Amino acid sequence: MSNSINDLYRSLAEHPERRMRFVSFAGKLVTRNFPEIYKDVLELMDELRESGCRAGDLVGVTGPNSYEWVLADLALLGLGCVPVALALEQGADGRALAALADAYRLAAVLTTRAPEPDRERPARELPNGELPDGVAALTARPLKLVRRDIPAGARPTLPGDAFTIAFSSGTAGSKKGLLMSAAGVENTMRISAEAWRLTADDDLLIVMPFSNFQQRYLLYTAVRYGTDVTVVPPERMLQKLRELAPTVVLGPPSFFELPANRVGSAGPRERLPYLLATALHALVPGRASRRLRARLGRRWTGVYGSRVRLMLTGSAPVPPRTVRVFQCLGAPLFEVYGSSEIGWIAFNLPGGHRIGSAGRPVDGVRVDVADDGEITVRTGLPQCLGYVFEGVGTQDAVFLGDGRIVTGDLGEFDRAGFLRLKGRKKNVIITRSGVKINPEELELALEKACPGVRAMVAAPDGGGLLNCVVWVEDVADADRVAQVEAYLEEANGKRESALRIARTVFRPSAELTVEEGLLTRNFKIDRNAVTRRVFAERTGVGR
């Protein structure tokens, strides 16, 4: 078995029975077995080599998830190039891609979507037909690429075994260029394969963009350990999973909200199977009753397919109710915790889990909680070595000199050693009187009381009165609005004055998307974007 990230493509030849499936936004299915992928990677490596690409070159890869994205990533690694994952899934014109190449000193940019035409420059004036030098569309083969000449002194010096550059989603309003470590990522792959007990019968689901490094690492794990892979756009996920039937599903809490919400909104008769499953779970917990509970819950959880054996969620606050509903219905949903800088930090898994926690620390990782509640981690094999391009100025505050890595998350351990996450340190609101408020605890409480809504608490005037944005399916639904208002009125009556919600703004759930700019690529609420949109415009139905 190949044991180097750069030689990862060779592992394809070692698992001839495995396959990858790709569903496009339009619903078209492309299936390739590992030997076919191996052959195509070799061909693309030859084309890149003939175009002048060489070891050490930084090469951008962008566009929506596709078979071509995977070929480009594995081929660049095989050549010793450094793939730079650019978050432009919706596409861009050649001039915009060339500007990124200039900014990041890229020898080339490969895109999985044909670039939009440059309206300011006719195609005949461009050196490479319709594309500027250094930009090539993977949709046209053989590859038409004119490598950009980057002087050696202009390229950033990469530390240690940094093999690729990824970008954070910029939840705090600023992106970070992450220098990913080959040894650290190999360690994350090993931990995953062992903890999840991956076998040749497994099929890993990938939904979010490959520009999010977690999705690439999942694909690397499948290639290294010989499992199938299914890649589906989020818009098609619930429509296609029953047909595609993956076995391991990893995603943010929003992936799992629909069944939990449907259980909550079901009438008494429809809800009866859930009540029976809940009673069984209480009386005969664990494996003894799981199969029967799964049969009772199939009408709700069957959308994920008939073979799913492990569901993992994290990357955003996880409502305990969602996990509880799934587990009562015999569906194996567990909360996990990790970061791009570190890799996996804590797992809940079958045989050792606690609802409302992120699990116990994984082997080889020491987790400490500082006096102010911030979680710090020590590991001999961090997944990230530091920052480049964006975020360099914050590096020393994250990667501490004594080997600790600061997560920015707040948490606490219970007596059994399970880690409970309480929110992000940067999101804490400090009132003018000095009271510290964790808005995520208030948001989770509202979402628990009113299933199906999403909420964000902020103090837009800089630490004064708390405002709450609540996203509902229909802002004209008087009953739904009244339910939220009734909860907030009751909660306000029980809270000290600093924790009371003074104003509520209702917004349509349809706007809470990545395309609208209110969600990050990880499907987290972008707090800065919401604050600018909602509190600057003062739109929506205010109560």
Side-chain angles (χ1 to χ4, degrees):
M1 178 184 290
S2 171
N3 58 8
S4 164
I5 286 283
N6 291 102
D7 290 335
L8 186 63
Y9 71 97
R10 299 184 189 277
S11 294
L12 292 164
E14 299 166 5
H15 305 289
E17 303 302 320
R18 304 279 59 82
R19 67 181 179 177
M20 294 186 192
R21 295 180 293 177
F22 299 82
V23 177
S24 69
F25 180 80
K28 180 181 177 181
L29 176 66
V30 173
T31 302
R32 295 286 187 274
N33 62 41
F34 278 20
E36 290 174 323
I37 302 168
Y38 179 66
K39 175 178 175 291
D40 288 346
V41 168
L42 291 178
E43 289 181 358
L44 182 55
M45 287 173 67
D46 286 340
E47 293 171 23
L48 289 166
R49 195 180 289 113
E50 290 172 5
S51 300
C53 292
R54 53 182 181 262
D57 280 348
L58 273 62
V59 179
V61 185
T62 188
N65 286 3
S66 67
Y67 179 53
E68 290 76 18
W69 217 115
V70 173
L71 292 183
D73 195 20
L74 294 178
L76 290 169
L77 292 176
L79 290 174
C81 297
V82 180
V84 180
L86 304 172
L88 288 172
E89 284 75 32
Q90 304 307 311
D93 62 30
R95 188 171 54 163
L97 295 176
L100 282 174
D102 286 336
Y104 297 138
R105 279 86 81 186
L106 307 179
V109 176
L110 306 178
T111 174
T112 64
R113 182 194 294 270
E116 302 165 5
D118 189 335
R119 297 178 181 177
E120 296 187 11
R121 298 180 67 189
R124 63 179 178 273
E125 295 181 9
L126 294 172
N128 186 23
E130 295 183 357
L131 300 177
D133 280 352
V135 179
L138 292 161
T139 52
R141 300 283 302 277
L143 199 68
K144 298 177 181 178
L145 175 65
V146 179
R147 179 185 178 278
R148 302 170 77 246
D149 185 26
I150 308 295
R155 290 183 303 200
T157 300
L158 305 187
D161 65 346
F163 73 98
T164 188
I165 296 172
F167 289 92
S168 67
S169 59
T171 310
S174 61
K175 293 191 302 180
K176 295 177 180 178
L178 305 167
L179 291 162
M180 307 308 295
S181 158
V185 172
E186 287 278 8
N187 185 56
T188 300
M189 292 158 57
R190 178 191 59 79
I191 288 172
S192 303
E194 293 177 359
W196 305 344
R197 300 181 180 181
L198 295 181
T199 72
D201 293 328
D202 278 312
D203 187 335
L204 299 185
L205 178 69
I206 294 176
V207 178
M208 295 192 293
F210 281 129
S211 60
N212 178 321
F213 184 75
Q214 184 186 75
Q215 313 310 300
R216 290 168 65 198
Y217 124 78
L218 286 173
L219 186 131
Y220 297 165
T221 303
V223 172
R224 172 72 78 232
Y225 292 94
T227 76
D228 289 349
V229 180
T230 296
V231 182
V232 182
E235 298 85 356
R236 292 284 184 179
M237 184 182 77
L238 294 181
Q239 178 188 47
K240 289 289 185 179
L241 291 197
R242 194 185 298 270
E243 168 191 344
L244 296 170
T247 63
V248 179
V249 177
L250 177 68
S254 59
F255 281 16
F256 306 100
E257 288 176 352
L258 183 62
N261 291 341
R262 284 179 173 173
V263 168
S265 62
R269 187 171 181 178
E270 293 176 309
R271 195 177 169 87
L272 184 59
Y274 172 70
L275 297 177
L276 291 173
T278 301
L280 271 173
H281 184 54
L283 296 171
V284 190
R287 293 183 179 182
S289 66
R290 181 173 172 240
R291 183 171 296 181
L292 178 55
R293 287 184 284 119
R295 290 176 60 185
L296 290 168
R298 195 165 296 159
R299 63 183 300 174
W300 292 291
T301 61
V303 293
Y304 299 95
S306 60
R307 296 204 310 140
V308 64
R309 67 171 186 82
L310 189 61
M311 298 168 142
L312 305 168
T313 189
S315 81
V318 180
R321 174 184 171 275
T322 299
V323 179
R324 186 173 293 108
V325 166
F326 272 74
Q327 292 193 3
C328 284
L329 294 176
L333 178 63
F334 301 94
E335 185 175 352
V336 292
Y337 174 44
S339 78
S340 296
E341 285 84 355
I342 297 159
W344 290 119
I345 298 172
F347 278 150
N348 279 295
L349 291 169
H353 57 90
R354 178 161 295 184
I355 293 175
S357 83
R360 291 191 175 107
V362 301
D363 290 342
V365 171
R366 174 177 169 178
V367 180
D368 294 303
V369 179
D371 291 341
D372 63 355
E374 186 170 17
I375 297 169
T376 61
V377 174
R378 291 178 188 266
T379 174
L381 290 169
Q383 192 172 252
C384 175
L385 298 171
Y387 303 139
V388 66
F389 303 131
E390 281 94 357
V392 175
T394 66
Q395 179 168 302
D396 289 344
V398 176
F399 297 87
L400 304 183
D402 59 1
R404 291 179 299 151
I405 300 175
V406 175
T407 66
D409 294 310
L410 301 174
E412 62 184 10
F413 281 104
D414 67 15
R415 292 181 179 179
F418 286 89
L419 179 64
R420 188 173 78 89
L421 301 179
K422 301 176 67 176
R424 294 287 288 168
K425 184 176 180 179
K426 67 189 177 189
N427 294 337
V428 169
I429 299 168
I430 303 177
T431 69
R432 295 190 181 101
S433 59
V435 177
K436 293 183 178 180
I437 299 170
N438 186 349
E440 286 155 302
E441 293 185 330
L442 302 179
E443 293 156 7
L444 278 175
L446 191 158
E447 292 170 0
K448 177 181 178 181
C450 305
V453 309
R454 293 192 72 178
M456 190 193 99
V457 173
D461 61 351
L465 299 177
L466 296 183
N467 284 224
C468 185
V469 186
V470 180
W471 287 272
V472 295
E473 185 172 351
D474 181 4
V475 294
D477 184 342
D479 291 340
R480 191 60 157 158
V481 170
Q483 179 194 24
V484 174
E485 290 181 325
Y487 163 76
L488 289 175
E489 182 177 358
E490 180 182 359
N492 281 345
K494 298 177 180 177
R495 293 172 178 160
E496 58 182 280
S497 59
L499 298 176
R500 294 171 186 162
I501 304 298
R503 178 176 182 266
T504 308
V505 178
F506 291 88
R507 305 279 292 201
S509 299
E511 75 171 9
L512 204 55
T513 66
V514 176
E515 291 74 23
E516 284 285 328
L518 299 185
L519 292 183
T520 70
R521 288 178 291 127
N522 294 337
F523 296 96
K524 300 178 185 178
I525 292 175
D526 189 325
R527 293 177 179 269
N528 288 340
V530 170
T531 298
R532 290 192 300 270
R533 174 84 62 87
V534 175
F535 299 116
E537 295 177 358
R538 293 291 180 177
T539 58
V541 181
R543 291 286 196 272

